[in-house]
Amino acid sequence: MKQHIAILYADSRFTPWQENIDTATVRKVCQSLNPKYEVDIIHMIDPCAELADLLSQYYCVVNLCYGFKHLMQWEVAAWLDQHEIPHLSARGNVQQLAQHKKEVERLLMDFGLPVARSLDHEGEIQEGMYIVKPVSGGCHRNISIISSDELRNTFHRLNPEEWMVQPYLNGREFSVAVLPDATGMSYETLPPVEIVPFPKREVFIAGQEYGTTTRDFFPVLDVSLREQLSNAALAAHQYVGLEYMSRCDFRVHDHVVYLLDVNAMPNLHPVKSLFPQILQHHGQSLKTLFTRMLSRHKLLRSGSMNADTPAVALLN
């Protein structure tokens, strides 16, 4: 008898940040799930007891709900957790932590992972460029890059509960995908993709807000740097407490790998989103991803391993 899986789906129009989720994503995910499963598509509605009862009947839920109306994506995951509905995404409280950039910064600093430490008071401002960004929220949204002189004029107006200021780090930028290994018991990374400013310039961020960038899926990297990026991504994945998959962004500044952001629930649009493209360029697929996540889910469900058990061996 086939086990039943539900795809919980909210179209981009209904998500707070208009995520890249549409019928193409749902169709691709359906095609990527093993035929041994019976798959139903459940359109997200406002969370209620009836929806929870429906989803509780499934073996697990593929969570493609990146928020819904007033709810953030972590709140949807937390609602699933509250009703003990198993889902293939990080727990709600972990996603909430991952989206709180200042808390992630403090956590990773405690573990000795290099980050661009945010400023606590105006007296810390030195000459150079700075990034001003929301304390909580999605990657690369509402970011400003300003000079030290501009920052001195505006620092006192920035609510520290809402905004954080970090030094702008010149250097190469990379994104690293983390996913379960073939056994489902541990994790592995895929080769780093480089975010390249085009035309070439020193000041840039991923995306289009500060000029266009392109992606180099086969950047020139020495073995040492590749290992540093991989180990840092695995470390961040574990320290934050993530499950199943993540994507971490880094800047390499003065030969040091600095973590910029941890994406606890990477988007899976087959064309527009980065994670599926990384898979494709390195001979993997969404089918590989879901096969491995379901293997991990089976182990967790059987009690063979604990979600809180460290799944990777870290290098000092």
Side-chain angles (χ1 to χ4, degrees):
M1 184 176 179
K2 289 186 176 182
Q3 291 174 317
H4 288 247
I5 290 179
I7 296 176
L8 182 62
Y9 158 59
D11 187 271
S12 302
R13 294 168 295 170
F14 300 108
T15 62
W17 292 324
Q18 308 294 293
E19 295 282 352
N20 291 327
I21 297 295
D22 56 20
T23 53
T25 308
V26 177
R27 182 171 62 249
K28 188 66 176 178
V29 170
C30 283
Q31 295 170 349
S32 301
L33 292 168
N34 193 305
K36 72 178 183 180
Y37 297 105
E38 194 74 39
V39 181
D40 294 330
I41 298 170
I42 309 295
H43 288 266
M44 183 65 181
I45 59 174
D46 287 315
C48 59
E50 291 78 7
L51 180 59
D53 288 342
L54 173 62
L55 293 174
S56 296
Q57 299 174 31
Y58 288 90
Y59 173 66
C60 71
V61 171
V62 176
N63 183 15
L64 295 183
C65 190
Y66 291 77
F68 185 75
K69 296 182 179 177
H70 62 288
L71 298 176
M72 307 299 286
Q73 70 181 43
W74 72 264
E75 292 177 296
V76 174
W79 177 79
L80 293 170
D81 297 336
Q82 176 188 349
H83 292 278
E84 300 183 345
I85 299 167
H87 56 98
L88 302 184
S89 56
R91 289 163 291 173
N93 63 328
V94 174
Q95 290 196 40
Q96 183 182 22
L97 168 63
Q99 289 192 0
H100 197 290
K101 298 179 179 65
K102 191 169 286 189
E103 288 300 323
V104 170
E105 175 189 310
R106 291 168 182 159
L107 175 69
L108 298 182
M109 283 177 62
D110 287 343
F111 282 108
L113 199 64
V115 296
R117 191 182 71 80
S118 56
L119 276 59
D120 293 320
H121 51 80
E122 187 174 345
E124 295 178 307
I125 301 174
Q126 300 180 4
E127 295 305 310
M129 303 297 291
Y130 288 86
I131 285 185
V132 181
K133 59 185 179 182
V135 166
S136 184
C139 180
H140 306 140
R141 292 181 176 90
N142 301 319
I143 291 178
S144 299
I145 301 176
I146 62 177
S147 68
S148 52
D149 288 339
E150 292 174 290
L151 181 57
R152 290 187 182 96
N153 292 328
T154 60
F155 192 90
H156 65 282
R157 296 199 298 267
L158 296 173
N159 184 342
E161 298 298 318
E162 297 179 3
W163 298 96
M164 60 191 295
V165 179
Q166 294 176 322
Y168 177 82
L169 302 175
N170 290 318
R172 300 171 73 183
E173 182 164 331
F174 298 92
S175 192
V176 179
V178 179
L179 70 161
D181 69 2
T183 69
M185 297 187 68
S186 188
Y187 295 103
E188 67 178 41
T189 63
L190 294 175
V193 55
E194 184 169 6
I195 310 302
V196 182
F198 182 82
K200 186 176 180 180
R201 59 194 184 278
E202 286 194 359
V203 178
F204 70 96
I205 59 174
Q208 313 301 320
E209 189 171 349
Y210 275 82
T212 57
T213 57
T214 61
R215 298 163 176 174
D216 184 354
F217 290 92
F218 301 96
V220 176
L221 292 173
D222 59 43
V223 174
S224 175
L225 179 54
R226 184 185 296 268
E227 290 181 349
Q228 288 181 64
L229 288 164
S230 176
N231 288 336
L234 289 170
H237 186 94
Q238 177 174 337
Y239 293 154
V240 176
L242 296 171
E243 301 145 337
Y244 298 111
M245 63 173 173
S246 66
R247 203 197 73 241
C248 298
D249 299 329
F250 300 93
R251 275 283 171 98
V252 180
H253 175 73
D254 286 345
H255 308 291
V256 177
V257 173
Y258 290 89
L259 180 78
L260 298 181
D261 192 77
V262 178
N263 189 332
M265 191 171 162
N267 199 282
L268 295 179
H269 191 286
V271 176
K272 299 176 183 178
S273 301
L274 183 54
F275 202 106
Q277 291 185 37
I278 297 174
L279 288 166
Q280 180 181 351
H281 278 84
H282 294 288
Q284 306 290 348
S285 65
L286 284 179
K287 184 175 181 178
T288 303
L289 175 66
F290 281 106
T291 297
R292 293 183 177 191
M293 290 200 298
L294 285 163
S295 294
R296 182 167 179 77
H297 173 73
K298 183 178 180 179
L299 291 169
L300 292 170
R301 193 180 179 102
S302 68
S304 300
M305 60 185 296
N306 189 296
D308 296 320
T309 300
V312 294
L314 301 177
L315 301 179
N316 294 324

